[in-house]
Amino acid sequence: DVEELTAKLHENHIDVMLDMVFNHCSTSHPWFQEALAGDQFYQKFFYLRPPKKDGSLPTNWQSKFGGPAWAKFGDSGWYYLHLYDPTQADLDWHNPAVRQEAAKIVNFWRKKGVKGFRFDVFNVTGKDQQLVDSTDPLQEKKLYTDTPIVHQYLKELNQASFGQDTSIITVGEMSSTTIENSVKYTQPKNHELSMIFTFHHLKV
C-alpha cells in the first residue's frame, strides 16, 4: 500500500513525509517486551535504573505529561525512564545498536519511496549516561535537552540513511532549542537536517 501510495503521489509531484519517533518506543513494542522478558540485549535499549538507596525513584525528574518520569520495570525492582507518557519508554541512544536500528528504519521507508522524514523531539535523545537529580524545572530540562551529543547522533544518522539521497527533506521537532543550535542543526555543511521547528512562538 505504501509503495503504491508513494509512487502514485510522486507521479503528481507530491512526496510523502513520515514521522520518525526515535526518542522513545511503545511499551508494547517487541524491543520493550523482550527487555521485560529478561533479554539483556534489549534491556540495554532503555534507561533502566535501580531505586536510590532510600528506595526512592532513580531521579526526581518529572514527565512532560505530569508525574514522575520513572515507572516500574515489571517485577525486576528497577525503573524505566519515560520523559513523556508511561507507555513511551525512552530509548538509550548511547547504545550503538539503537542508533543502527534507527538508521535501518529510515532506510526501510526510503526503499518504499518515502522522501521526507520528521523527527519527533529528537533533541531530547542526548541524555547523559549518568542521570542525576535536578535542582529546578528549568535546570532539569537542560540535563537532557539540546546537549552537544545530539549533533553527533544526527550526523551519524544522516550519513547512514537519509543523507545518501540529496532529494530527501528532513525536519526536526526540537524541544526548547536555541537559535544557535537551530542554525547548527540546519547548516548544510554540518550534514544534519534540512530544517527544524520549535514551539517558542506559541509561548510568547
Side-chain angles (χ1 to χ4, degrees):
D1 290 343
V2 172
E3 290 167 359
E4 182 181 4
L5 175 71
T6 55
K8 292 287 179 63
L9 287 174
H10 191 72
E11 289 175 8
N12 290 279
H13 309 288
I14 300 170
D15 284 318
V16 173
M17 175 176 280
L18 293 185
D19 189 12
M20 301 285 101
V21 185
F22 284 159
N23 173 68
H24 44 266
C25 77
S26 170
T27 52
S28 298
H29 193 283
W31 294 347
F32 193 83
Q33 290 300 309
E34 290 291 338
L36 270 179
D39 190 321
Q40 294 185 353
F41 176 79
Y42 286 107
Q43 286 179 352
K44 293 177 182 177
F45 273 43
F46 303 95
Y47 286 93
L48 305 181
R49 300 289 187 272
K52 293 176 182 170
K53 291 181 180 179
D54 63 3
S56 60
L57 296 173
T59 70
N60 62 352
W61 293 8
Q62 293 295 299
S63 162
K64 293 176 182 289
F65 293 165
W70 296 93
K72 287 185 177 180
F73 184 65
D75 299 324
S76 67
W78 287 42
Y79 293 85
Y80 69 90
L81 178 68
H82 62 87
L83 288 181
Y84 298 90
D85 190 84
T87 63
Q88 299 171 316
D90 280 56
L91 292 163
D92 187 349
W93 272 68
H94 293 285
N95 184 349
V98 170
R99 304 198 300 273
Q100 290 164 10
E101 286 295 332
K104 284 181 185 177
I105 292 167
V106 172
N107 288 331
F108 174 87
W109 292 113
R110 282 177 58 206
K111 290 177 182 176
K112 299 290 184 190
V114 173
K115 303 294 278 186
F117 297 95
R118 172 212 184 266
F119 295 102
D120 185 79
V121 294
F122 196 91
N123 64 328
V124 300
T125 58
K127 310 165 191 76
D128 284 335
Q129 288 178 305
Q130 187 71 32
L131 306 181
V132 298
D133 278 342
S134 66
T135 56
D136 60 70
L138 186 62
Q139 181 261 354
E140 179 172 314
K141 192 176 291 186
K142 292 179 180 178
L143 292 175
Y144 56 76
T145 305
D146 241 16
T147 57
I149 201 170
V150 175
H151 295 285
Q152 178 182 320
Y153 292 156
L154 279 172
K155 285 180 172 68
E156 183 178 318
L157 184 62
N158 179 309
Q159 186 176 14
S161 60
F162 58 82
Q164 298 170 7
D165 182 349
T166 56
S167 68
I168 286 181
I169 297 294
T170 55
V171 57
E173 178 196 4
M174 299 298 185
S175 172
S176 302
T177 191
T178 62
I179 292 175
E180 179 186 11
N181 262 324
S182 298
V183 171
K184 289 180 180 178
Y185 289 132
T186 56
Q187 276 276 21
K189 67 180 182 180
N190 290 344
H191 301 288
E192 294 184 32
L193 298 173
S194 308
M195 63 187 95
I196 66 103
F197 69 94
T198 182
F199 294 107
H200 285 306
H201 62 291
L202 300 176
K203 299 177 182 179
V204 173

